[in-house]
Amino acid sequence: MSVDTTGSRSAAGPADFDSHRFDAVQLIRIKRGGGSLSAEQIRWLIRAYTLGIVADEQMSAMAMAIYFRGLDESELPVWTQAMIDTGERLDFSRLGRPTADKHSTGGVGDKITLPLAPLVAACGVAVPQLSGRGLGHTGGTLDKLESIPGWQASLSNEQMMSQLRDVGAVICAAGSGLAPADRKLYALRDVTGTVEAIPLIASSIMSKKIAEGTASLVLDVKVGSGAFMTREDDARELARRMVELGEAAGVRTVALLTAMDTPLGLTAGNALEVREAVEVLAGGGPGDVVELTVALAREMLALSGVDVDPAEALRDGRAMDVWRRMIRAQGGDPDAPLPVARHQRQVFAPADGVLTRLDAMAVGLAAWRLGAGRARKEDPVQAGAGVEIHAKPGDAVRAGQPLLTLHTDEPERFERALESLEGGFDVSADAAESAPAGRGATGGSVVIERVS
Ligand code: URA
């Protein structure tokens, strides 16, 4: 393959593809100037990029042009569909049961998928949940489940279908066949500063979810310091565009905007989060995790036309039964002790007062630096590493009381983790002044808004 003077690549694509139909540089110029790409141009670009005819450097320039200029209401559905068309589409229509899935844009301590999938399945709706591994400060669902001894993330499409029939819930790795254009483009965006573009995030998430074949989809769009979207307006815009894409593709879709200023629950880290998810399934667990799990379950059931109270299925142990079967079906032992990190260190309250802020990003970075997350896709993660939280915003604390326990197998990691927590929390001596602890904190609601 060689690059000619105009920057366009000469490579022969498959016989049905005209690699000379458009010129990548010309398309980049249109978008750079704020113009609209035609449906034909978009389809050509995505296919040519997936085939390696449009070069990475050209697609990087296009992603940057989109970062600044956006994709308009006519471009975005075509862009998303073109990404779907680069791969396979799963079909659960023969399952004989409604299907619903949830996608979270990612947050700190976000273990909601773990109790949610078995809970919704226990209420009669099948949950095909194709998940990913974590990158950066947000954890990945597969990394969490892999801390359960024996549990396997990879399933064939046939295994997935049979588990959905038998158990009703599957959480497994998304195969490389779903929207391969997104896989390639996401890796490129990750290294070119173009992840945070609303149309690119919307098309990336929705191409995979639509290709996955779920009938209904609930989106958990996080907003706050520990989320992709730190401003509510941006999160609302992302939610709106994803809901429109889903509905246009025939997937019943709603979104909840939820708070991510402080970590969800009391743990961030793989095995630590599994432990907390099991507490929720046992009818306990932190209030914010229970609230969000039940809120998302209600939306998934409502979209599927099932009138069952999910809170009851948590209380009476039905969701726990499905969890145990789901873990066993993928080789895991739900009764095996979870890994515990070899070293612990505590962070103490500096004064008497009220904890007024515990920053999600600071805790997420600390968990990551302790070994719970990875810097590069191929890095291993530690199952036991992470942060245990002993007080949430709004809680009264005493000087010297432990606020956090840090866990890692490698004690040399403590120093960098502690650095990321510097300035990450505030204790106010004046309890009255600090009363409004913020959403997601003790007593506040995690759900900010519903977008449909
Ligand atoms: N998650 C995705 O799958 N894609 C994005 O672009 C961002 C988050």
Side-chain angles (χ1 to χ4, degrees), residues 34 46 69 109 111 124 168 220 267 270 280 287 299-300 321 335 340 357 381 452:
I46 300 281
R69 297 294 194 171
K111 69 277 297 170
D220 179 3
T267 54
N270 301 312
V280 171
E299 296 291 348
M300 290 164 79
D321 289 345
D335 298 313
V340 176
R357 188 175 65 89
V381 295
S452 61

Side-chain angles (χ1 to χ4, degrees), residues 103-106 182 186 189 194-198 200-206 208 228:
H103 180 85
S104 157
T105 56
D182 176 63
Y186 190 79
R189 288 165 55 212
T194 50
V195 167
E196 298 88 347
I198 288 177
L200 293 178
I201 298 176
S203 54
S204 165
I205 292 174
M206 294 307 290
K208 286 173 288 201
F228 269 126

